[in-house]
Amino acid sequence: MKKRQVYLDNAATTPIDKRVLAVMKPFLTDDFGNPSSFHTPGKVAGDALDGARKQVADVIGARSDEIIFTSGGTESDNLAILGFARKNQNQGKHIISTKVEHPAVLESLEQLEKEGFEVTLLIVDEFGRVSSDDVVTAIRPDTILISIIYANNEIGTVNPISEIGKQIQKNRTGNFPAFHTDACQAAGALELNQEKLHVDLMTVNASKIYGPKGNGALFVKRGLKLQPLQFGGHQERRVRPGTENVAGIIGFTEALRIADQQKDEESKRLIKLRDYFICEVQKLIPKTRLNGHPTERLPNNINISFMDIEGEALTLYLDAKGIYVSTGSACTSASLDPSHVIVGLSLPYEVAHGSIRFSLGRSTTKKDLDYVLEFLPELVEKLRKISPVSVDAKYFK
Amino acid sequence: MSDYKSEPIKGTQGDVQSHDKKQSWFYSDIVKEHFFNPQNFLDRDPKEGEFNAIGKVGSPACGDELRVWMRVDSATEIIIDYKWKTFGCGSAIAATSMISEMILEKNMTLEEARNIRPQDVMERLGGLPARKFHCSVLCDKATRDAVNDFYRRAGKFDKIVVEASRIICPVTRVTDRDIEEAVLEGAITLEDVQKKTKVGIGNPGVLPAVEELILFYKEKYFG
């Protein structure tokens, strides 16, 4: 009998939806033209690209000319942060962000610090949320950009982006500071309408919503100027030159359409599963801590620290049972530092070392979760027996 | 005394990849066997008078903590029993399990146990991913700590061997010698040295001293 496999790492990436693959295929073979070419195959590709751009624009309530296709979340974040800051530095060199951003944002900000920019990283509350008051207080006359993650990729906490955006609009002169949000984890689960969110720049990508990896987009509000990160053509309004990945873009667009269409229904289903799993774990296993917000969290995100044990060890034990998860432990990162997000919640390193993220997906069923619950308590118990550590009771309830 | 047993798992099961995809690794079958089926660990609190030597290294903040308990025959100085507990990743658990087997199967004396090097443990494990070596093989250090503890309790102070090198980070027990070795292996920034040794992780107070040493060895070897 084939061993049961339960993939609970959908926040890392998802498989391509068959409907998505179907619309991509023609553009890999028959309709292979370069959208920039002045002939029929070129026009076919070009028209498809225009249609795709319109579709993304529709989902986020923007105009077609406000969408720039990129190679995914990392590039969109880089382009938003580096591109905007460099282009607008004559207006000021101060940027506000948070301690719990994705590395694509944090490392771009580190680069800007080397270029003479000043960065304020806001701390978050115990659930990982940023307060709009803190954002407003941090605004200075020379603040040109504010970047805040929409839904955290590790702990799933959803930030009040709309409220923060409103406050920023109230407290700015002209176009500055502009407001960027990384919405990579939000697509398919949360509101993406840019007007309702009051954002000026927004990152979206395909690989978490059953689209092809290496595809994403950046929403750039009309009138905002970016300095390109690469050079060599007129594509994407010269901000992101290079022959477009037509098949990838078509796939991304279709994936986004499907994700947005089934957003409400799927979210409802996932929230039920999520809360069931959290509740069962707390019932079955002592000394655990739910990381992130109890309700203001992504429907598919479960992040739990198992005290006194180390995440890599548990990940390996689960892997041997065919259960695939990820951990904030230092041991699986190249840096040997544990998750900056969990440490950012003012929790000690040992809590971060023991954190496991279970991220659900479209294929996840209650049966899958029951399979995990069948093994999880004994595996945790086994590692605890080996462990000499006892984490202070104040860090779990 | 019953140790926890589980079905040993072999082959390619149970491998993970780093979540940032910078590096991946595979554990050898021996590592996995000791990880999934650890030997000689203490699955309860020690009883009064059960052991006559205790050793400790690491802290949960730095990601690994090891404790070892030994019962030593006072006349022959042979280690009769060796138990351990480890908080750490797969390779840390496997390494501690392995050293316990190495010591007990050969009826090692304190002197012999003291001379086990991390390389010896790694060899028996069939190798470890390079980046896992420095940080997860701490079992030799915990063992030496216990050996000293035995002599301390026995009043044989002349037999206590203070680590020839100077401990820079009391939490991770990283010595100046470890840092020298890391620099020689090409780690010339604090970040690189931390990747190799874990020094100062969760204990940032020691970092200025570490940086000074890196600079010293860098100039010594690379001018």
Coordinates of all heavy atoms in Angstrom, one line a residue, chain A residues 3 12 107 154 307-310 312-317 319-321 326-338 349-350 353-354 378 381-389, chain B residues 4 6 9 13-16 18-20 22-23 25 27 35-38 41-43 60-63 65 67 84-91 93 131-132 135 194-195 198 201-202:
Chain A
K3 N 2.2 4.8 0.9 CA 2.1 5.6 2.1 C 1.3 6.8 1.9 O 1.4 7.4 0.8 CB 3.5 5.9 2.6 CG 3.6 6.6 3.9 CD 5.0 6.9 4.3 CE 5.6 7.9 3.4 NZ 7.0 8.3 3.9
A12 N 4.5 27.7 1.1 CA 5.8 27.7 0.4 C 5.5 27.7 -1.1 O 6.0 28.6 -1.9 CB 6.6 26.5 0.7
E107 N 15.7 42.7 3.0 CA 17.0 42.7 2.4 C 17.1 43.9 1.4 O 18.2 44.4 1.2 CB 17.4 41.4 1.9 CG 17.7 40.4 3.0 CD 18.1 39.0 2.5 OE1 18.6 38.8 1.4 OE2 17.8 38.0 3.3
E154 N 4.8 33.5 7.5 CA 5.1 32.5 8.5 C 4.0 32.3 9.5 O 3.6 31.1 9.7 CB 6.4 32.9 9.2 CG 7.6 32.8 8.4 CD 8.9 33.0 9.2 OE1 8.9 32.6 10.4 OE2 9.9 33.6 8.6
M307 N 6.8 23.4 22.7 CA 7.9 23.7 23.6 C 8.8 22.5 23.9 O 8.3 21.4 23.9 CB 7.3 24.2 25.0 CG 6.3 25.4 24.8 SD 7.1 26.8 24.0 CE 5.6 27.7 23.5
D308 N 10.0 22.8 24.2 CA 11.0 21.9 24.6 C 11.6 21.0 23.5 O 12.4 20.2 23.8 CB 10.6 20.9 25.8 CG 10.0 21.7 26.9 OD1 10.2 22.9 27.0 OD2 9.3 21.1 27.8
I309 N 11.1 21.2 22.3 CA 11.7 20.4 21.2 C 12.1 21.3 20.1 O 11.7 22.5 20.0 CB 10.8 19.3 20.7 CG1 9.5 19.9 20.1 CG2 10.5 18.3 21.8 CD1 8.6 18.8 19.5
E310 N 12.8 20.8 19.1 CA 13.4 21.5 18.1 C 12.7 21.2 16.8 O 12.5 20.0 16.5 CB 14.9 21.2 18.1 CG 15.9 22.2 17.5 CD 15.8 22.1 16.0 OE1 15.6 20.9 15.5 OE2 16.0 23.1 15.4
E312 N 13.4 21.2 13.5 CA 13.9 20.4 12.5 C 13.7 18.9 12.8 O 13.3 18.1 11.9 CB 15.4 20.6 12.2 CG 15.9 19.9 10.9 CD 17.2 19.3 11.0 OE1 17.4 18.3 11.9 OE2 18.1 19.6 10.3
A313 N 13.9 18.5 14.0 CA 13.8 17.2 14.4 C 12.3 16.7 14.2 O 12.1 15.6 13.6 CB 14.2 17.0 15.9
L314 N 11.4 17.6 14.6 CA 10.0 17.2 14.4 C 9.6 17.2 12.9 O 8.8 16.3 12.5 CB 9.1 18.2 15.2 CG 7.6 17.9 15.2 CD1 7.3 16.5 15.7 CD2 6.8 18.9 16.0
T315 N 10.1 18.1 12.1 CA 9.9 18.1 10.7 C 10.3 16.8 10.1 O 9.6 16.2 9.2 CB 10.6 19.3 10.0 OG1 10.2 20.5 10.7 CG2 10.3 19.4 8.6
L316 N 11.5 16.3 10.5 CA 12.0 15.0 10.0 C 11.1 13.9 10.4 O 10.9 13.0 9.6 CB 13.4 14.8 10.5 CG 14.5 15.6 9.7 CD1 15.8 15.6 10.5 CD2 14.8 15.0 8.4
Y317 N 10.7 13.9 11.6 CA 9.8 12.8 12.1 C 8.5 12.8 11.3 O 8.0 11.7 11.0 CB 9.6 12.9 13.6 CG 10.6 12.2 14.5 CD1 11.9 11.9 14.0 CD2 10.3 11.9 15.8 CE1 12.8 11.3 14.8 CE2 11.2 11.2 16.6 CZ 12.5 11.0 16.1 OH 13.4 10.3 16.9
D319 N 8.1 14.0 8.3 CA 8.4 13.7 6.9 C 8.4 12.2 6.8 O 7.9 11.6 5.8 CB 9.8 14.3 6.6 CG 10.1 14.1 5.1 OD1 10.4 12.9 4.7 OD2 10.1 15.1 4.4
A320 N 9.0 11.5 7.8 CA 9.0 10.0 7.7 C 7.6 9.4 7.7 O 7.5 8.3 7.3 CB 9.8 9.5 8.9
K321 N 6.6 10.2 8.1 CA 5.2 9.7 8.1 C 4.5 10.2 6.9 O 3.3 10.1 6.7 CB 4.5 10.2 9.3 CG 5.0 9.7 10.6 CD 4.7 8.2 10.9 CE 5.2 7.8 12.3 NZ 5.3 6.3 12.4
S326 N 6.8 23.0 7.4 CA 8.0 23.8 7.5 C 8.2 24.3 8.9 O 7.3 24.3 9.7 CB 8.0 24.9 6.5 OG 7.2 25.9 6.9
T327 N 9.4 24.7 9.2 CA 9.7 25.1 10.6 C 10.5 26.4 10.6 O 11.2 26.8 9.7 CB 10.6 24.0 11.3 OG1 11.1 24.6 12.5 CG2 11.8 23.6 10.5
G328 N 10.3 27.1 11.7 CA 11.0 28.4 11.9 C 12.4 28.1 12.7 O 13.0 29.1 13.0
S329 N 12.7 26.9 12.8 CA 14.0 26.5 13.5 C 15.2 27.0 12.7 O 15.1 27.1 11.5 CB 14.0 25.0 13.7 OG 15.4 24.6 13.7
A330 N 16.2 27.3 13.5 CA 17.4 27.8 12.8 C 18.1 26.7 12.0 O 18.7 27.0 11.0 CB 18.4 28.2 13.9
C331 N 17.8 25.4 12.4 CA 18.6 24.3 11.7 C 18.2 24.2 10.3 O 19.0 23.5 9.6 CB 18.3 23.0 12.5 SG 19.3 23.0 14.0
T332 N 17.1 24.7 9.8 CA 16.8 24.5 8.4 C 17.1 25.8 7.6 O 16.8 25.8 6.4 CB 15.3 24.1 8.2 OG1 14.5 25.1 8.7 CG2 15.0 22.8 8.8
S333 N 17.6 26.8 8.3 CA 18.0 28.0 7.5 C 19.5 28.0 7.4 O 20.2 27.4 8.1 CB 17.5 29.2 8.3 OG 18.4 29.5 9.4
A334 N 19.9 28.8 6.4 CA 21.4 28.9 6.2 C 22.0 29.7 7.2 O 23.2 29.7 7.4 CB 21.6 29.4 4.8
S335 N 21.3 30.6 7.9 CA 21.9 31.5 8.8 C 22.1 31.0 10.2 O 22.9 31.6 11.0 CB 21.0 32.8 8.9 OG 19.8 32.4 9.6
L336 N 21.5 29.9 10.6 CA 21.5 29.4 11.9 C 20.7 30.3 12.9 O 20.8 30.0 14.1 CB 22.9 29.1 12.4 CG 23.6 27.9 11.7 CD1 25.0 27.7 12.4 CD2 22.8 26.7 11.7
D337 N 20.1 31.3 12.4 CA 19.3 32.1 13.3 C 17.8 31.6 13.1 O 17.4 31.3 12.0 CB 19.3 33.6 12.9 CG 20.5 34.3 13.6 OD1 20.7 34.0 14.8 OD2 21.2 35.1 13.0
P338 N 17.1 31.6 14.2 CA 15.7 31.1 14.0 C 14.8 32.2 13.4 O 15.3 33.3 13.2 CB 15.2 30.8 15.4 CG 16.1 31.7 16.3 CD 17.4 31.8 15.6
Y349 N 14.3 32.7 21.7 CA 14.8 31.9 20.6 C 14.2 30.5 20.7 O 13.9 29.9 19.7 CB 16.3 31.8 20.6 CG 16.9 33.0 19.9 CD1 16.4 34.3 20.0 CD2 18.1 32.8 19.2 CE1 17.1 35.3 19.4 CE2 18.7 33.9 18.5 CZ 18.2 35.1 18.6 OH 18.8 36.2 18.0
E350 N 14.1 29.9 21.9 CA 13.8 28.5 22.0 C 12.3 28.3 21.6 O 12.0 27.2 21.2 CB 14.0 28.0 23.4 CG 13.5 28.8 24.6 CD 14.6 29.7 25.1 OE1 15.3 30.4 24.3 OE2 14.8 29.8 26.4
H353 N 12.6 28.2 17.8 CA 13.2 26.9 17.4 C 12.2 25.8 17.3 O 12.4 24.8 16.5 CB 14.3 26.5 18.4 CG 15.6 27.2 18.2 ND1 16.3 27.3 17.0 CD2 16.3 28.0 19.1 CE1 17.4 28.0 17.2 NE2 17.4 28.5 18.4
G354 N 11.2 25.8 18.1 CA 10.2 24.7 18.1 C 9.0 25.0 17.3 O 8.0 24.3 17.5
E378 N 2.4 11.6 19.5 CA 3.4 10.7 19.9 C 4.8 11.1 19.5 O 5.8 10.9 20.2 CB 3.1 9.2 19.4 CG 3.1 9.1 17.9 CD 2.9 7.7 17.5 OE1 1.7 7.3 17.5 OE2 3.8 7.0 17.1
E381 N 5.8 13.8 21.9 CA 6.1 13.2 23.1 C 7.5 12.5 23.1 O 8.3 12.6 24.0 CB 5.0 12.1 23.4 CG 5.2 11.3 24.7 CD 5.3 12.2 26.0 OE1 4.8 13.3 25.9 OE2 5.9 11.7 26.9
K382 N 7.8 11.8 22.0 CA 9.1 11.1 21.9 C 10.2 12.1 21.9 O 11.2 11.9 22.6 CB 9.1 10.4 20.5 CG 10.4 9.6 20.3 CD 10.3 8.7 19.0 CE 11.7 8.2 18.7 NZ 11.6 7.4 17.5
L383 N 10.1 13.2 21.2 CA 11.2 14.2 21.2 C 11.3 14.9 22.5 O 12.4 15.3 23.0 CB 11.0 15.2 20.1 CG 11.3 14.7 18.7 CD1 10.8 15.6 17.6 CD2 12.8 14.5 18.5
R384 N 10.2 15.1 23.2 CA 10.3 15.7 24.5 C 11.0 14.8 25.5 O 11.7 15.2 26.4 CB 8.9 16.0 25.0 CG 8.4 17.3 24.5 CD 7.0 17.7 25.0 NE 6.6 18.9 24.4 CZ 5.3 19.3 24.4 NH1 4.4 18.6 24.9 NH2 5.0 20.5 23.8
K385 N 10.8 13.5 25.3 CA 11.5 12.5 26.2 C 13.0 12.6 26.1 O 13.7 12.5 27.0 CB 11.0 11.1 25.9 CG 9.8 10.7 26.7 CD 9.6 9.2 26.6 CE 8.5 8.8 27.6 NZ 8.2 7.4 27.4
I386 N 13.4 12.9 24.9 CA 14.9 13.0 24.6 C 15.4 14.3 25.1 O 16.6 14.5 25.4 CB 15.2 12.9 23.1 CG1 14.6 11.6 22.6 CG2 16.7 13.0 22.8 CD1 14.8 11.4 21.1
S387 N 14.5 15.3 25.2 CA 15.0 16.7 25.5 C 15.2 17.0 26.9 O 14.4 16.7 27.8 CB 14.0 17.7 24.9 OG 14.3 19.0 25.3
P388 N 16.3 17.8 27.2 CA 16.6 18.2 28.6 C 16.0 19.5 28.9 O 16.1 20.0 30.0 CB 18.1 18.3 28.7 CG 18.5 18.7 27.3 CD 17.4 18.1 26.3
V389 N 15.3 20.1 27.9 CA 14.9 21.5 28.1 C 13.5 21.6 28.6 O 12.6 20.8 28.3 CB 15.0 22.2 26.7 CG1 14.3 23.6 26.7 CG2 16.4 22.3 26.3
Chain B
Y4 N 13.1 4.3 24.7 CA 12.1 4.5 23.7 C 12.5 3.8 22.4 O 13.6 4.0 21.9 CB 11.8 5.9 23.5 CG 10.5 6.2 22.8 CD1 9.4 6.6 23.5 CD2 10.4 6.0 21.4 CE1 8.2 6.8 22.8 CE2 9.2 6.2 20.8 CZ 8.1 6.6 21.5 OH 6.9 6.9 20.8
S6 N 11.4 2.8 18.3 CA 10.4 3.0 17.3 C 10.9 2.2 16.1 O 12.1 1.8 16.0 CB 10.3 4.5 16.9 OG 11.4 4.9 16.2
I9 N 13.9 3.8 10.4 CA 13.5 4.2 9.0 C 14.8 4.4 8.2 O 15.7 5.0 8.7 CB 12.6 5.4 9.0 CG1 11.3 5.1 9.6 CG2 12.5 5.9 7.6 CD1 10.6 6.2 10.2
Q13 N 14.0 8.3 3.1 CA 12.9 8.9 3.8 C 13.5 9.9 4.9 O 14.6 9.6 5.4 CB 12.1 7.9 4.5 CG 11.2 7.1 3.6 CD 10.5 6.0 4.3 OE1 10.9 5.6 5.3 NE2 9.4 5.6 3.7
G14 N 12.8 10.9 5.2 CA 13.2 11.7 6.3 C 14.3 12.7 6.0 O 15.0 13.2 6.8
D15 N 14.5 13.1 4.7 CA 15.4 14.2 4.4 C 14.6 15.5 4.3 O 13.5 15.5 3.8 CB 16.1 13.9 3.1 CG 17.1 12.7 3.2 OD1 17.9 12.8 4.2 OD2 17.0 11.8 2.4
V16 N 15.3 16.5 4.7 CA 14.6 17.8 4.5 C 15.5 18.8 3.7 O 16.7 18.5 3.6 CB 14.3 18.5 5.8 CG1 13.1 17.8 6.5 CG2 15.5 18.6 6.7
S18 N 16.6 23.0 3.3 CA 16.5 24.3 4.0 C 15.4 25.1 3.4 O 15.2 25.1 2.2 CB 17.8 25.0 3.9 OG 17.8 26.0 2.9
H19 N 14.6 25.8 4.3 CA 13.4 26.5 3.7 C 13.8 27.6 2.8 O 12.9 28.0 2.0 CB 12.5 26.9 4.9 CG 13.0 27.9 5.8 ND1 13.3 29.2 5.4 CD2 13.2 27.9 7.1 CE1 13.7 29.9 6.4 NE2 13.7 29.1 7.5
D20 N 15.0 28.2 2.9 CA 15.3 29.2 2.0 C 16.0 28.7 0.7 O 16.4 29.5 -0.1 CB 16.2 30.3 2.7 CG 17.4 29.7 3.4 OD1 17.7 28.5 3.1 OD2 18.0 30.4 4.2
K22 N 18.7 27.7 0.1 CA 20.1 28.0 -0.2 C 20.9 26.7 -0.2 O 21.8 26.6 -1.0 CB 20.7 29.0 0.9 CG 20.3 30.4 0.6 CD 21.0 31.3 1.6 CE 20.5 32.8 1.4 NZ 20.6 33.5 2.6
Q23 N 20.6 25.8 0.7 CA 21.4 24.6 0.7 C 20.4 23.5 1.1 O 19.4 23.6 1.8 CB 22.5 24.6 1.8 CG 23.6 25.6 1.4 CD 24.6 25.6 2.5 OE1 25.1 24.6 2.9 NE2 24.9 26.8 3.0
W25 N 20.4 19.2 2.3 CA 21.3 18.2 2.7 C 20.6 16.8 2.9 O 19.4 16.8 2.9 CB 22.0 18.5 4.1 CG 20.9 18.7 5.1 CD1 20.3 17.8 5.9 CD2 20.4 20.0 5.6 NE1 19.4 18.3 6.7 CE2 19.5 19.7 6.6 CE3 20.7 21.3 5.3 CZ2 18.8 20.7 7.3 CZ3 20.0 22.3 6.0 CH2 19.1 22.0 6.9
Y27 N 20.9 13.3 5.2 CA 21.5 12.5 6.3 C 21.8 11.1 5.8 O 21.0 10.5 5.1 CB 20.6 12.5 7.5 CG 20.5 13.9 8.2 CD1 19.3 14.3 8.6 CD2 21.6 14.7 8.4 CE1 19.1 15.5 9.3 CE2 21.5 15.9 9.1 CZ 20.3 16.3 9.5 OH 20.1 17.5 10.2
F35 N 18.8 8.8 14.7 CA 17.8 9.8 14.9 C 16.4 9.3 15.2 O 15.7 9.7 16.1 CB 17.8 10.8 13.7 CG 16.7 11.8 13.8 CD1 16.6 12.7 14.9 CD2 15.8 11.9 12.8 CE1 15.5 13.6 14.9 CE2 14.7 12.8 12.8 CZ 14.6 13.7 13.9
F36 N 16.0 8.3 14.4 CA 14.7 7.8 14.5 C 14.6 6.7 15.6 O 13.6 6.4 16.1 CB 14.2 7.1 13.2 CG 13.8 8.2 12.2 CD1 14.6 8.3 11.0 CD2 12.8 9.0 12.4 CE1 14.2 9.3 10.0 CE2 12.4 10.0 11.4 CZ 13.2 10.1 10.3
N37 N 15.8 6.2 16.0 CA 15.8 5.1 17.0 C 17.0 5.4 17.9 O 17.9 4.6 18.0 CB 16.0 3.8 16.2 CG 15.8 2.6 17.2 OD1 15.2 2.7 18.2 ND2 16.3 1.5 16.8
P38 N 16.9 6.5 18.7 CA 18.1 6.9 19.5 C 18.3 5.9 20.6 O 17.4 5.3 21.2 CB 17.6 8.2 20.1 CG 16.2 8.3 19.9 CD 15.8 7.4 18.8
F41 N 19.2 7.1 25.7 CA 18.9 8.3 26.3 C 18.1 8.1 27.6 O 17.5 7.1 27.8 CB 18.1 9.2 25.3 CG 16.7 8.8 25.0 CD1 15.7 9.3 25.8 CD2 16.4 8.0 23.9 CE1 14.3 8.9 25.5 CE2 15.1 7.6 23.7 CZ 14.1 8.1 24.5
L42 N 18.1 9.1 28.4 CA 17.5 9.1 29.7 C 16.0 9.6 29.5 O 15.8 10.7 29.3 CB 18.2 9.9 30.7 CG 17.9 9.8 32.2 CD1 18.3 8.4 32.7 CD2 18.5 10.8 33.0
D43 N 15.1 8.6 29.7 CA 13.7 9.0 29.4 C 12.9 9.5 30.6 O 11.7 9.3 30.7 CB 12.9 7.9 28.6 CG 12.8 6.7 29.5 OD1 13.4 6.6 30.5 OD2 12.1 5.7 29.0
P60 N 19.1 26.2 25.0 CA 18.0 26.1 24.0 C 18.0 27.4 23.1 O 17.6 27.3 22.0 CB 16.7 26.0 24.9 CG 17.1 26.3 26.3 CD 18.6 26.1 26.4
A61 N 18.5 28.5 23.6 CA 18.5 29.7 22.8 C 19.4 29.6 21.6 O 19.0 30.0 20.5 CB 18.9 30.9 23.7
C62 N 20.5 28.9 21.7 CA 21.4 28.7 20.6 C 20.9 27.6 19.7 O 21.5 27.3 18.7 CB 22.8 28.6 21.0 SG 23.3 27.0 21.6
G63 N 19.9 26.8 20.1 CA 19.4 25.8 19.3 C 19.7 24.4 19.7 O 19.1 23.4 19.2
E65 N 20.9 21.9 23.2 CA 21.4 21.7 24.5 C 21.5 20.2 24.8 O 20.6 19.5 24.5 CB 20.4 22.3 25.5 CG 20.9 22.1 27.0 CD 20.0 22.8 28.0 OE1 19.6 23.9 27.7 OE2 19.9 22.2 29.1
R67 N 22.8 17.2 27.7 CA 23.2 16.8 29.0 C 23.6 15.4 29.0 O 22.9 14.6 28.3 CB 22.1 17.1 30.0 CG 21.9 18.5 30.3 CD 21.0 18.7 31.4 NE 20.3 20.1 31.2 CZ 19.5 20.6 32.0 NH1 19.0 19.9 33.1 NH2 19.0 21.8 31.8
W84 N 21.9 10.2 28.2 CA 21.9 11.6 27.6 C 20.5 12.1 27.4 O 19.6 11.4 27.3 CB 22.7 11.7 26.4 CG 22.2 10.7 25.3 CD1 22.6 9.4 25.1 CD2 21.3 11.0 24.3 NE1 21.9 8.9 24.1 CE2 21.1 9.8 23.5 CE3 20.5 12.1 23.9 CZ2 20.2 9.7 22.5 CZ3 19.6 12.0 22.8 CH2 19.5 10.8 22.1
K85 N 20.4 13.5 27.3 CA 19.2 14.1 26.7 C 19.7 15.2 25.8 O 20.7 15.9 26.1 CB 18.4 14.8 27.9 CG 17.5 13.9 28.6 CD 16.8 14.6 29.7 CE 15.8 13.8 30.5 NZ 14.5 13.5 29.9
T86 N 19.0 15.4 24.7 CA 19.4 16.4 23.7 C 18.2 17.2 23.2 O 17.2 16.6 22.8 CB 20.2 15.8 22.5 OG1 21.4 15.3 23.0 CG2 20.4 16.8 21.4
F87 N 18.3 18.5 23.2 CA 17.4 19.4 22.5 C 18.1 19.8 21.3 O 19.2 20.5 21.4 CB 17.0 20.6 23.4 CG 16.3 21.7 22.7 CD1 15.0 21.7 22.6 CD2 17.1 22.7 22.1 CE1 14.3 22.8 22.0 CE2 16.4 23.8 21.5 CZ 15.0 23.8 21.4
G88 N 17.7 19.5 20.1 CA 18.4 19.9 18.9 C 17.9 19.2 17.7 O 16.9 18.4 17.8
C89 N 18.5 19.5 16.6 CA 18.1 18.9 15.3 C 18.5 17.5 15.2 O 19.1 16.9 16.0 CB 18.6 19.8 14.2 SG 20.4 20.0 14.2
G90 N 18.1 16.9 14.0 CA 18.3 15.5 13.8 C 19.8 15.1 14.0 O 20.0 14.0 14.6
S91 N 20.7 15.9 13.5 CA 22.1 15.4 13.6 C 22.6 15.5 15.0 O 23.5 14.8 15.4 CB 23.0 16.2 12.6 OG 22.7 17.6 12.7
I93 N 20.9 15.0 17.7 CA 20.3 13.8 18.4 C 21.1 12.5 18.0 O 21.6 11.7 18.8 CB 18.8 13.7 18.1 CG1 18.1 14.8 18.9 CG2 18.3 12.3 18.6 CD1 16.6 14.9 18.5
R131 N 27.7 21.9 6.8 CA 27.2 23.0 7.6 C 26.6 22.6 9.0 O 26.4 23.4 9.9 CB 26.2 23.8 6.9 CG 25.0 23.0 6.5 CD 24.2 23.8 5.5 NE 23.6 25.0 6.0 CZ 22.5 25.1 6.8 NH1 21.8 24.0 7.0 NH2 22.1 26.2 7.2
K132 N 26.5 21.3 9.1 CA 25.9 20.8 10.4 C 27.0 20.3 11.3 O 26.7 20.1 12.5 CB 25.0 19.5 10.0 CG 23.7 19.9 9.4 CD 22.8 20.1 10.5 CE 21.4 20.6 10.0 NZ 20.5 20.8 11.1
C135 N 28.1 22.8 14.5 CA 27.0 23.2 15.4 C 26.4 22.0 16.1 O 25.9 22.1 17.2 CB 26.0 24.1 14.7 SG 25.1 23.3 13.5
Q194 N 29.8 32.6 12.5 CA 28.6 32.2 13.2 C 27.9 31.0 12.5 O 27.5 30.1 13.1 CB 27.6 33.3 13.3 CG 28.0 34.3 14.4 CD 26.9 35.2 14.7 OE1 26.3 35.8 13.8 NE2 26.6 35.4 16.0
K195 N 28.0 31.0 11.1 CA 27.4 29.9 10.4 C 28.1 28.6 10.8 O 27.6 27.5 10.8 CB 27.5 30.1 8.9 CG 26.3 30.9 8.4 CD 26.4 31.1 6.9 CE 25.6 32.3 6.4 NZ 25.9 32.7 5.1
K198 N 28.2 28.8 15.4 CA 27.1 29.2 16.2 C 27.5 30.2 17.4 O 26.6 30.5 18.2 CB 26.4 28.0 16.9 CG 25.2 27.6 16.0 CD 24.4 26.6 16.8 CE 23.0 26.5 16.1 NZ 22.3 25.4 16.6
I201 N 25.2 33.1 19.1 CA 23.8 33.1 18.7 C 23.0 33.0 20.0 O 23.2 32.1 20.8 CB 23.5 31.8 17.8 CG1 24.3 31.9 16.6 CG2 22.0 31.8 17.5 CD1 23.7 32.4 15.3
G202 N 22.1 33.9 20.3 CA 21.3 33.9 21.5 C 22.2 34.4 22.7 O 21.7 34.4 23.8

